[in-house]
């Protein structure tokens, strides 16, 4: 089947996410035939560097031979089993490894299918924890500009209007607290003071405070100092509020450490993981939590304190085998150490963006970098112009509004990093003449 027929059949039957489908009247959708490491290849053999890791999930390249092999091996043994009353070896192995890697005190794993579902689990679990202990706490606190997913509960604790505004009437009760405005310690302290004011007034009504540690990814890649996480942990302890760390996007080495909370030497009450968990292969998410939280649900059946939340594909063995293979690569190839050279290269390549007249800010945390442009008129479609320019040069960039960001697979080479960032630079320069 040729590219034209694929596009026609796609548009006839498929509604794509985060897309105004009318755009595809003029912007061709791109059928991808195969993946090869850091590259995606279309049906006309055009190769594109995947600079966004296919929505931040791919860690070790497309069609990674090692992960492929481990999934094939699992496929010959067990593809799926109901996870209520049953278990299997891949998930036991994975759970032990995650608890060993996670911040101290996170000793229990509850699995779901995707990031938004993991957020729902953490919110419900926190609320029911307090209810099981005789307290009704209907409120949740989150940061301004935050994003935690697009299911109803996840949307409620988010604060990106593009996703949330239309559904305001049906969302949970939440409070947004100021996010640190930049990566300075001063901004962290100021934002923590604002959080304490909320806790002083309403802590007995609040179940949990949820954060994206260090980087608000869908919130324009806004970044802040780890001091804020430390201060938030202390405030949550002081006022008896759970701390939920949403590491769905920033976990598994994206910030330079395995988990972003490590920069603050903090252990949350709940940590949600997904995206890179399976190396970008299969849907899987997990909520790690404490023995204290687990014990609040442990009871005789007559007391009815059990956590009744489930997904049909919870703990799928194929996904768990991909996750175990992903952790194998981290362990066997010293990925976090190897990434330091790439982090330094990204930092050096960012420097020349600062001199461009249409660039407002440049920021980086580990393997995540962002270039914030001037605010263009909405009908200018600056993100679309950057995307189209980069695609013609063989690089996939998908700006968040006026923020051009880089979050490539860890297997990207230094030469490919230079290509990716040079193309972004050229794309931004080209805007001046439009």
């Amino acid at each position: 089947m040729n590219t034209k027929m694929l596009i026609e059949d796609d548009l006839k039957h498929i509604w794509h996410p985060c897309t105004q489908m009318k755009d595809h009247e003029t912007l061709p959708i791109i059928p991808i035939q195969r993946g090869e490491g850091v590259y995606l290849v279309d049906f006309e053999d055009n190769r594109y560097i995947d600079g966004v890791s296919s929505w931040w999930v791919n860690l070790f390249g497309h069609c990674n031979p090692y992960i492929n092999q481990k999934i094939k091996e699992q496929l010959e043994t067990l593809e799926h089993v109901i996870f209520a009353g049953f278990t299997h070896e891949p998930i036991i192995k994975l759970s032990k490894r995650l608890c060993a890697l996670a911040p101290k005190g996170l000793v229990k794993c509850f699995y779901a299918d995707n990031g938004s579902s993991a957020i729902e689990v953490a919110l419900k679990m926190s609320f029911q924890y307090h209810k099981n202990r005789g307290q009704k706490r209907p409120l949740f606190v989150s940061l301004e500009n935050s994003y935690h997913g697009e299911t109803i509960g996840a949307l409620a604790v988010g604060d990106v209007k593009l996703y949330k505004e239309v559904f305001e009437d049906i969302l949970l009760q939440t409070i947004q607290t100021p996010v640190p405005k930049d990566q300075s310690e001063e901004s962290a302290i100021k934002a923590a003071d604002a959080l304490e004011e909320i806790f002083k007034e309403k802590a007995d009504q609040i179940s949990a405070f949820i954060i994206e540690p260090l980087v608000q990814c869908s919130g324009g890649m806004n970044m802040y100092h780890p001091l804020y996480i430390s201060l938030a942990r202390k405030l949550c302890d002081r006022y008896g509020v759970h701390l939920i760390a949403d590491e769905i996007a920033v976990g598994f080495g994206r910030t330079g450490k395995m988990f972003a909370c490590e920069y603050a030497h903090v252990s949350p009450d709940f940590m949600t993981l997904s995206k890179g968990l399976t190396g970008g292969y299969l849907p899987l998410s997990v909520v790690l939590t404490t023995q204290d939280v687990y014990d609040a649900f442990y009871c005789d059946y007559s007391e009815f304190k059990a956590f009744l939340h489930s997904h049909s594909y919870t703990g799928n063995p194929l996904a768990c085998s991909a996750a175990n293979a992903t952790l194998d690569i981290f362990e066997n190839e010293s990925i976090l150490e190897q990434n330091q050279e790439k982090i330094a290269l990204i930092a050096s390549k960012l420097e020349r963006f600062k001199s461009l007249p249409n660039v407002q800010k440049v920021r980086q945390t580990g393997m995540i970098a962002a270039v914030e442009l001037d605010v263009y008129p909405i009908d200018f479609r600056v993100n679309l112009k950057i995307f189209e320019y980069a695609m013609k040069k063989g690089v996939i960039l998908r700006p968040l509004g006026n923020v051009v960001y880089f979050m490539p697979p860890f297997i990207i080479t230094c030469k490919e990093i230079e290509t990716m960032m040079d193309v972004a630079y050229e794309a931004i320069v080209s805007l001046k003449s439009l």
Side-chain angles (χ1 to χ4, degrees), residues 257-399:
K257 294 184 182 290
M258 184 61 78
F259 303 114
C261 282
E262 293 177 39
Y263 284 96
H265 308 289
V266 157
S267 291
D269 300 292
F270 302 89
M271 184 167 74
T272 60
L273 300 172
S274 189
K275 289 192 182 291
L277 176 59
T278 66
Y281 268 70
L282 291 163
L284 184 69
S285 64
V286 62
V287 178
L288 283 88
T289 191
T290 64
Q291 188 69 42
D292 176 61
V293 170
Y294 178 84
D295 288 344
F297 295 80
Y298 199 87
C299 63
D300 293 328
Y301 192 80
S302 60
E303 295 182 63
F304 202 70
K305 291 183 177 180
F307 186 60
L308 299 183
H309 183 104
S310 61
H311 297 269
S312 300
Y313 285 95
T314 294
N316 175 261
L318 296 173
C320 290
S321 67
N324 277 313
T326 297
L327 294 184
D328 288 345
I329 296 173
F330 272 109
E331 291 177 7
N332 298 334
E333 300 184 23
S334 302
I335 297 300
L336 298 182
E337 291 78 10
Q338 289 183 30
N339 279 355
Q340 296 309 308
E341 179 186 1
K342 296 171 185 178
I343 290 168
L345 176 60
I346 291 170
S348 68
K349 294 291 289 185
L350 283 173
E351 283 300 312
R352 69 172 179 157
F353 287 87
K354 296 177 182 178
S355 63
L356 293 177
N358 54 343
V359 170
Q360 290 187 359
K361 297 177 184 177
V362 172
R363 48 190 177 265
Q364 179 186 12
T365 298
M367 289 289 288
I368 306 172
V371 177
E372 184 173 343
L373 308 180
D374 291 336
V375 177
Y376 289 85
I378 192 169
D379 60 351
F380 184 72
R381 303 296 296 277
V382 63
N383 55 339
L384 190 59
K385 293 183 188 300
I386 296 287
F387 170 79
E388 289 183 292
Y389 184 100
M391 287 297 290
K392 290 175 183 176
K393 300 288 186 176
V395 177
I396 299 174
L397 298 175
R398 200 170 187 273

Side-chain angles (χ1 to χ4, degrees), residues 167-212:
F167 299 106
E168 284 284 3
D169 294 339
I170 59 172
L171 300 181
L172 303 174
Q173 302 175 70
T174 65
I175 301 169
Q176 275 66 56
T177 187
V179 64
K181 68 177 183 179
D182 54 37
Q183 291 175 280
S184 69
E185 291 190 0
E186 292 78 11
S187 292
I189 293 169
K190 184 176 181 180
D193 289 343
L195 176 64
E196 183 165 21
E197 290 304 309
I198 293 171
F199 283 179
K200 283 179 180 177
E201 182 182 352
K202 297 186 176 181
D204 61 348
Q205 303 173 59
I206 297 168
S207 283
F209 173 45
I210 182 170
I211 61 171
E212 300 157 275

